[in-house]
Amino acid sequence: MIDTHCHIDFKDFDDDREDVIKRAKDKLDHVIVSGYSNDSNMEVLQLSKDYKGFIYPTFGFHPVSSQNATEEDIKTAHENISKYLDDIVAIGEVGMDYFYVTDKTLRERQQEIFRGFLELANEYKVPIVMHVRDCEKKAVNIIPEYEDIPYFVFHCYGGSLKTAKKIMNMNNCVMSFSTMLCYSKHHQDLIEKIDLDYVLTETDSPYLAMTKEERNEPANVVNAVHKIAEIKDMDVEAVDEITTNNARKIFKI
């Protein structure tokens, strides 16, 4: 199993990060840690060096932060992606967030920055991990403009089934499902109707734990895999094999 998206560089893990990674190693094949800022990108890079062959990094800039970032901040993010291109497995998370951000000007700023990262992924022909909350349909409409991006990952997909069907009609798009599957009826209804060939698993740790009091961690991605198996009436091993192979193909790990 692979947790394809988490943030174990967060300070939430400062007191026991080594233990968290050990628990992940006991259950998982790999963990992908996604950068969300210039500082975070450097931290996930270091984690990948400290746990070489187990942790893999992606470099990104969270959309809610990017809307207030300076041009210099974004330039630095682009430069670091170029500099460490051989070390990262994707660009992300980047994108647009229309759930938290309703201001039209800020939304336009998010899209402008997102397109800059899309252009970079297109130039370097690397996968992109997208945070496109409440604007999944808009992202689907943008994707065809970037023909050289090998894969588009809809991180923590929560859009409509109609949009999911459009995503499945694109050969280079997948949807990542988190531990939210264990308690979200909407996500359970989605996964029931989505072909596993288009599915990845993740935790988005430290977020999306079973309760608001808990801190999520990569080892919990097992819970998502088990829930998918239950909903689809499949063997856990079969779900594991399909979703793991999807991740290996996309991120080349």
Side-chain angles (χ1 to χ4, degrees), residues 226-250:
H226 278 258
K227 194 65 181 179
I228 293 172
E230 177 191 322
I231 291 168
K232 288 191 166 290
D233 193 22
M234 294 174 63
D235 290 337
V236 171
E237 292 77 13
V239 174
D240 177 17
E241 182 178 2
I242 294 168
T243 55
T244 297
N245 286 342
N246 291 345
R248 290 191 186 282
K249 176 181 70 176
I250 291 164

Side-chain angles (χ1 to χ4, degrees), residues 144-167:
E145 298 176 33
Y146 301 92
E147 296 180 350
D148 288 331
I149 297 178
Y151 293 103
F152 297 82
V153 177
F154 284 76
H155 148 60
C156 204
Y157 185 76
S160 68
L161 179 60
K162 183 178 179 181
T163 300
K165 287 179 178 178
K166 289 182 179 178
I167 292 168

Side-chain angles (χ1 to χ4, degrees), residues 24-43:
K25 276 187 168 184
D26 288 342
K27 293 183 177 182
L28 311 180
D29 299 310
H30 305 289
V31 168
I32 296 175
V33 188
S34 292
Y36 66 94
S37 69
N38 288 329
D39 288 343
S40 171
N41 291 339
M42 292 301 101
E43 288 167 4

